[in-house]
Amino acid sequence: MKGKHITEILDKASIGSLSESELNEVRAHVLGCMSCRDAYEAARLSAVVIQSRAQVVIEPSPFFQTRVMAALREQQRVESGPAMLRLWRSAKALVSAMAVTTAALAVVSFMQPSQTTTAPDQTASVYSAYSVIMDQDADEQMSYEQVLSTIYDDDDDAR
């Protein structure tokens, strides 16, 4: 224990948990070291205070149980209303949010401009470049070979 201070021991464990041999070492060390003596006294006094505080029994006031039971009965009385009222209380936020969402969607759907049909001359052409060049009707079905050649010939031209 020479050259070593007991503050390390006191920091690791409380005085009450030290063995008798450790306590004897601590007592022997504090005779020659003033800073360790102060730490030992503070640790000993704090252990005494904690032990005396732990032994104090606090009794509740005489009407504590009566007040608690009255508050419990009041809470049960408030919560025991009709089933529909309790259901509405729990689902009120959800139903309100759904109603607002429905109203907003109705307003948006009625406020959008109506879509008019376009004249035939304004429609986009449904003909591919291949069908125009080869003078094929749009109603004819293209074979897989024609589709693949159209796709891959366009890719080769792009390179």
Side-chain angles (χ1 to χ4, degrees):
M1 192 88 163
K2 301 237 183 205
K4 185 177 178 187
H5 293 284
I6 61 147
T7 54
E8 297 170 4
I9 296 173
L10 294 176
D11 286 341
K12 292 179 184 174
S14 65
I15 289 228
S17 66
L18 295 177
S19 67
E20 193 62 38
S21 63
E22 290 174 325
L23 279 174
N24 289 335
E25 287 180 33
V26 167
R27 288 184 190 126
H29 180 79
V30 296
L31 293 176
C33 183
M34 291 301 285
S35 63
C36 290
R37 182 180 304 159
D38 292 339
Y40 173 70
E41 288 298 320
R44 193 176 58 77
L45 287 175
S46 65
V48 169
V49 169
I50 289 173
Q51 185 179 15
S52 66
R53 183 67 181 151
Q55 293 175 351
V56 173
V57 177
I58 299 174
E59 292 292 326
S61 67
F63 296 108
F64 177 74
Q65 182 178 0
T66 307
R67 288 193 313 249
V68 168
M69 293 306 291
L72 233 159
R73 278 189 228 105
E74 177 67 23
Q75 183 180 8
Q76 288 175 345
R77 185 183 61 78
V78 168
E79 289 178 356
S80 68
M84 287 304 290
L85 183 61
R86 286 187 312 215
L87 180 64
W88 172 249
R89 284 182 186 150
S90 62
K92 176 175 30 178
L94 177 64
V95 171
S96 300
M98 288 172 35
V100 167
T101 303
T102 303
L105 288 173
V107 167
V108 167
S109 65
F110 288 122
M111 295 302 285
Q112 280 188 348
S114 62
Q115 296 178 354
T116 58
T117 58
T118 58
D121 58 342
Q122 294 177 349
T123 59
S125 176
V126 291
Y127 299 107
S128 69
Y130 182 79
S131 65
V132 170
I133 293 172
M134 300 304 280
D135 194 28
Q136 293 179 341
D137 292 337
D139 295 336
E140 287 183 23
Q141 290 285 336
M142 290 180 68
S143 70
Y144 287 116
E145 293 174 5
Q146 291 173 333
V147 171
L148 291 175
S149 66
T150 303
I151 291 172
Y152 290 116
D153 286 341
D154 289 344
D155 286 345
D156 290 340
D157 293 340
R159 288 185 204 167

